[in-house]
Every structure is written in C-alpha cells, then in structure tokens.
Amino acid sequence: MPDLAIIIPSVLNGLTTGALYALVALGLTLIYGVLHIINFAHGALLMLGLYAVFYLNTRFGIDPYVCLVIVPPAMFALGYALQRGIIGRAGHGRDENILLVTLGLSIVIENLSLFFFKSDTRIIDTPYSFEVVEIFGAFLPQPKVIAFVGAFITAGLLWLLMSRTDLGRAIRALAKERKGATLVGINAEHVFAMSFGLGIACLGVAACLLMPSYYVNPQVGQGFVLIAFTVVVLGGMGSFVGALIGGLFIGVVEALSGLFLGESLGQIGIFAIFILVLIFRPSGLLGHKV
C-alpha cells in the first residue's frame, strides 16, 4: 500500500487536473443548461483552441498565458457563428437534429485538422514548463498550479456573469422557461448563440492553461470530451457548482486509480464512477430529479 507521502502528491495532482476537467465541463454544462443539447463537437473545438495556442507560441512567440486575451475571444466568436450559422439553422428546433449536427461538426473538424496539421503530436517549450511548486511537501508542476488557479478564476467570472448581468439573467430565464422569456422580449436566438459562444470560450481558456504542460494532436479532444460528459453527469446536468465539484472529484479518482492500478489503467476509475452514478443517482450530485 502506498503511504501518505505518495498519496498526498497524487491527490494534489488530481485536483490540479480536475480543475481543468471542470473548466471544460463548465462550457458543456452552460450549453446544455440553456440549449438543452449535448455538444458532441466540444472535444474537437478544444483541440482547435490547443492548436491556436500552439501556433501563436511557435510562430509568433506569444506566451500561452498571454494567449488568454486572444484565444478565448476568438473561440467565443467561433462558437457564436457556429450556433447562428449552422447548428441553429440545421437543427430546426429538434434536439435529435442538433445532436447529429454537432456530431457531424466534430467529424469534419477532426478530419480537416488531420489534413492540415497531420497526425503529429506537438508540444511547446516555455521557461516554466518544468518549474515546480512545493505545496504541503508535494512538488507540483508550476503550469498545473497556474491552471488550477485559472480554472477557479474563470468559474468565478462565469458565475458573476450569470448572476449579476442582464445577459446572465436572460440566459437563466431562457433555460427555465423559453416561451415566457421570448414573450417578455428576450431575443432567444441571440442569447442561444451567446451561451454557445461562452461555452466555447471556456474551451479557449482551458486550451491556454493546458498547453504549457500538455500536447496537441487532431484526436486530443476525444479523451477530454468523454471525461467532460462524465463530470457533467456526476455534478448534475446544468449545474455549474456540480461541474466544478465533479471535475475535482474525477481528477482525484483518476490520480488515485493510476496510483493503485497503474498509469495505463488510471481512467478505469472515471468510467466506473460514471456507471455507478447512472445506476444509483442519474440526476447527479447537485442535479434535480425530473
């Protein structure tokens, strides 16, 4: 049995990874909470964000964290355009159509990326990539610690936007009662697109925080989107707090599973949790029964 000197660093590493899972899941939760659809293109769009950070760094020398002022706004614009120009129009208001459209978008984006970027796995090298921070006697990679803090800041800003702004009130109104919100003058199509754009902007933030310690290839988003779905189901569909808690929990489960079962079997714990939640509490930790 591993002792505490090994378990504590694993848990802390799991928390830093889980914060990023939560950030990816927050965007998925926002999209589901308002549009009531599952965005199958979520992983492919995260991959585009990672490539954007990679090329901004390698071609123009822009630090990944400086990319936070470039990539998330660009991803927001892309998400807004996709919702207004493709998903909303092609869906015709039917959830099954929208699911197929987002699945098709995922396939198209991944294959175009494979054509243009090839299948090579790429990383970036920054002065702090191998720096470590000591926390409770554990040495954690500095980029992961920064990502942990950044994920919480992003979640806080998203909560403020949802609770303190007119846009946030409009989003919450549409999520609860679409027809009533439309009757009082809310532009539903615009708010839908804004919600989708904000969800994709979260992926842009995640890409900037991930890239200093991660890699990118055309298939990289697939693993993240599977975990993000698990986090959303665990936390409760449409619950922001649930997504944050679920992401941290899943990160710790993955770290401990890797510690006890080996790195190659680390994700078994994640999908075991997913199955158990579906069986015993399908509404999630903070979700509401329907």
Short mmCIF file of all heavy atoms in Angstrom, two decimals, residues 8-21 140 144 148 247-256:
data_model
loop_
_atom_site.label_atom_id
_atom_site.label_comp_id
_atom_site.label_asym_id
_atom_site.label_seq_id
_atom_site.Cartn_x
_atom_site.Cartn_y
_atom_site.Cartn_z
N ILE A 8 -0.63 11.88 -0.95
CA ILE A 8 -0.91 13.32 -0.93
C ILE A 8 -0.52 14.01 -2.24
O ILE A 8 -1.32 14.76 -2.82
CB ILE A 8 -0.24 13.99 0.29
CG1 ILE A 8 -0.93 13.53 1.58
CG2 ILE A 8 -0.28 15.51 0.17
CD1 ILE A 8 -0.30 14.03 2.84
N PRO A 9 0.69 13.79 -2.77
CA PRO A 9 1.01 14.38 -4.08
C PRO A 9 0.07 13.93 -5.19
O PRO A 9 -0.27 14.72 -6.08
CB PRO A 9 2.45 13.91 -4.34
CG PRO A 9 3.01 13.64 -2.99
CD PRO A 9 1.86 13.11 -2.19
N SER A 10 -0.35 12.66 -5.14
CA SER A 10 -1.28 12.17 -6.16
C SER A 10 -2.62 12.89 -6.08
O SER A 10 -3.20 13.27 -7.11
CB SER A 10 -1.50 10.66 -5.99
OG SER A 10 -0.32 9.94 -6.23
N VAL A 11 -3.11 13.10 -4.86
CA VAL A 11 -4.38 13.81 -4.69
C VAL A 11 -4.25 15.25 -5.17
O VAL A 11 -5.14 15.78 -5.87
CB VAL A 11 -4.82 13.77 -3.21
CG1 VAL A 11 -6.00 14.71 -2.98
CG2 VAL A 11 -5.20 12.34 -2.82
N LEU A 12 -3.14 15.91 -4.81
CA LEU A 12 -2.95 17.30 -5.24
C LEU A 12 -2.83 17.39 -6.76
O LEU A 12 -3.38 18.31 -7.38
CB LEU A 12 -1.71 17.88 -4.56
CG LEU A 12 -1.81 18.08 -3.05
CD1 LEU A 12 -0.48 18.55 -2.48
CD2 LEU A 12 -2.91 19.09 -2.71
N ASN A 13 -2.11 16.45 -7.37
CA ASN A 13 -2.03 16.43 -8.82
C ASN A 13 -3.41 16.19 -9.43
O ASN A 13 -3.76 16.77 -10.46
CB ASN A 13 -1.07 15.33 -9.28
CG ASN A 13 0.34 15.86 -9.52
OD1 ASN A 13 0.57 16.69 -10.38
ND2 ASN A 13 1.28 15.39 -8.71
N GLY A 14 -4.18 15.31 -8.79
CA GLY A 14 -5.53 15.05 -9.27
C GLY A 14 -6.41 16.28 -9.21
O GLY A 14 -7.22 16.54 -10.11
N LEU A 15 -6.26 17.08 -8.16
CA LEU A 15 -7.04 18.31 -8.03
C LEU A 15 -6.68 19.32 -9.12
O LEU A 15 -7.57 19.98 -9.69
CB LEU A 15 -6.83 18.94 -6.65
CG LEU A 15 -7.47 18.20 -5.47
CD1 LEU A 15 -7.03 18.82 -4.15
CD2 LEU A 15 -8.99 18.24 -5.58
N THR A 16 -5.39 19.43 -9.43
CA THR A 16 -4.98 20.38 -10.48
C THR A 16 -5.51 19.93 -11.84
O THR A 16 -5.96 20.76 -12.64
CB THR A 16 -3.46 20.53 -10.53
OG1 THR A 16 -2.84 19.25 -10.74
CG2 THR A 16 -2.92 21.13 -9.24
N THR A 17 -5.47 18.64 -12.09
CA THR A 17 -6.01 18.12 -13.35
C THR A 17 -7.53 18.24 -13.37
O THR A 17 -8.13 18.61 -14.38
CB THR A 17 -5.61 16.65 -13.55
OG1 THR A 17 -4.19 16.53 -13.53
CG2 THR A 17 -6.14 16.11 -14.87
N GLY A 18 -8.15 17.95 -12.23
CA GLY A 18 -9.60 18.01 -12.14
C GLY A 18 -10.15 19.41 -12.36
O GLY A 18 -11.26 19.57 -12.89
N ALA A 19 -9.40 20.43 -11.97
CA ALA A 19 -9.85 21.81 -12.20
C ALA A 19 -9.98 22.09 -13.70
O ALA A 19 -10.91 22.78 -14.13
CB ALA A 19 -8.89 22.79 -11.56
N LEU A 20 -9.07 21.54 -14.49
CA LEU A 20 -9.16 21.71 -15.94
C LEU A 20 -10.31 20.90 -16.52
O LEU A 20 -11.00 21.36 -17.44
CB LEU A 20 -7.84 21.31 -16.60
CG LEU A 20 -6.73 22.36 -16.46
CD1 LEU A 20 -5.39 21.79 -16.89
CD2 LEU A 20 -7.05 23.60 -17.28
N TYR A 21 -10.53 19.70 -16.00
CA TYR A 21 -11.69 18.93 -16.42
C TYR A 21 -12.96 19.73 -16.13
O TYR A 21 -13.90 19.76 -16.95
CB TYR A 21 -11.76 17.60 -15.69
CG TYR A 21 -10.71 16.59 -16.06
CD1 TYR A 21 -10.37 15.55 -15.20
CD2 TYR A 21 -10.04 16.66 -17.28
CE1 TYR A 21 -9.42 14.60 -15.55
CE2 TYR A 21 -9.08 15.72 -17.64
CZ TYR A 21 -8.77 14.71 -16.76
OH TYR A 21 -7.81 13.77 -17.11
N LEU A 140 4.63 20.11 -7.22
CA LEU A 140 3.68 20.10 -8.33
C LEU A 140 4.21 20.95 -9.48
O LEU A 140 4.84 21.99 -9.24
CB LEU A 140 2.33 20.64 -7.88
CG LEU A 140 1.67 19.94 -6.69
CD1 LEU A 140 0.38 20.64 -6.32
CD2 LEU A 140 1.41 18.47 -7.00
N LYS A 144 0.57 23.42 -13.86
CA LYS A 144 -0.66 22.82 -13.33
C LYS A 144 -1.24 23.64 -12.19
O LYS A 144 -2.46 23.76 -12.05
CB LYS A 144 -0.39 21.39 -12.87
CG LYS A 144 -0.32 20.37 -13.99
CD LYS A 144 -0.41 18.96 -13.44
CE LYS A 144 -0.63 17.94 -14.55
NZ LYS A 144 -0.87 16.59 -14.03
N PHE A 148 -4.83 25.42 -12.17
CA PHE A 148 -5.80 25.23 -11.09
C PHE A 148 -6.40 26.57 -10.66
O PHE A 148 -7.62 26.72 -10.56
CB PHE A 148 -5.10 24.55 -9.91
CG PHE A 148 -5.98 24.31 -8.72
CD1 PHE A 148 -6.79 23.19 -8.65
CD2 PHE A 148 -5.99 25.19 -7.64
CE1 PHE A 148 -7.61 22.95 -7.55
CE2 PHE A 148 -6.80 24.97 -6.55
CZ PHE A 148 -7.60 23.84 -6.50
N GLY A 247 -15.61 17.86 -11.47
CA GLY A 247 -14.30 17.86 -12.12
C GLY A 247 -13.18 17.58 -11.14
O GLY A 247 -12.28 16.77 -11.43
N LEU A 248 -13.22 18.22 -9.98
CA LEU A 248 -12.19 17.99 -8.97
C LEU A 248 -12.22 16.54 -8.49
O LEU A 248 -11.17 15.90 -8.33
CB LEU A 248 -12.39 18.94 -7.79
CG LEU A 248 -12.23 20.43 -8.08
CD1 LEU A 248 -12.61 21.27 -6.86
CD2 LEU A 248 -10.80 20.76 -8.51
N PHE A 249 -13.43 16.03 -8.27
CA PHE A 249 -13.57 14.64 -7.80
C PHE A 249 -13.04 13.65 -8.83
O PHE A 249 -12.30 12.72 -8.50
CB PHE A 249 -15.04 14.36 -7.50
CG PHE A 249 -15.29 12.97 -6.98
CD1 PHE A 249 -14.93 12.62 -5.70
CD2 PHE A 249 -15.90 12.01 -7.79
CE1 PHE A 249 -15.16 11.33 -5.22
CE2 PHE A 249 -16.14 10.74 -7.32
CZ PHE A 249 -15.76 10.40 -6.03
N ILE A 250 -13.38 13.87 -10.09
CA ILE A 250 -12.93 12.97 -11.16
C ILE A 250 -11.41 13.03 -11.30
O ILE A 250 -10.74 12.01 -11.53
CB ILE A 250 -13.61 13.32 -12.49
CG1 ILE A 250 -15.08 12.90 -12.45
CG2 ILE A 250 -12.91 12.65 -13.67
CD1 ILE A 250 -15.32 11.42 -12.30
N GLY A 251 -10.83 14.22 -11.15
CA GLY A 251 -9.38 14.35 -11.22
C GLY A 251 -8.69 13.53 -10.14
O GLY A 251 -7.68 12.85 -10.40
N VAL A 252 -9.24 13.58 -8.91
CA VAL A 252 -8.66 12.81 -7.80
C VAL A 252 -8.85 11.31 -8.04
O VAL A 252 -7.93 10.51 -7.80
CB VAL A 252 -9.29 13.24 -6.47
CG1 VAL A 252 -8.84 12.33 -5.34
CG2 VAL A 252 -8.93 14.69 -6.15
N VAL A 253 -10.03 10.92 -8.52
CA VAL A 253 -10.28 9.50 -8.80
C VAL A 253 -9.29 8.99 -9.85
O VAL A 253 -8.72 7.89 -9.71
CB VAL A 253 -11.73 9.30 -9.29
CG1 VAL A 253 -11.91 7.90 -9.89
CG2 VAL A 253 -12.70 9.50 -8.14
N GLU A 254 -9.07 9.77 -10.89
CA GLU A 254 -8.13 9.36 -11.93
C GLU A 254 -6.72 9.21 -11.37
O GLU A 254 -6.01 8.24 -11.69
CB GLU A 254 -8.13 10.37 -13.08
CG GLU A 254 -7.20 9.98 -14.22
CD GLU A 254 -7.16 11.04 -15.31
OE1 GLU A 254 -7.36 12.23 -15.00
OE2 GLU A 254 -6.92 10.68 -16.47
N ALA A 255 -6.30 10.18 -10.54
CA ALA A 255 -4.95 10.13 -9.98
C ALA A 255 -4.77 8.91 -9.07
O ALA A 255 -3.75 8.21 -9.15
CB ALA A 255 -4.66 11.41 -9.21
N LEU A 256 -5.75 8.65 -8.21
CA LEU A 256 -5.63 7.51 -7.29
C LEU A 256 -5.76 6.18 -8.03
O LEU A 256 -5.09 5.20 -7.67
CB LEU A 256 -6.69 7.62 -6.20
CG LEU A 256 -6.51 8.78 -5.21
CD1 LEU A 256 -7.62 8.80 -4.18
CD2 LEU A 256 -5.15 8.71 -4.52
#
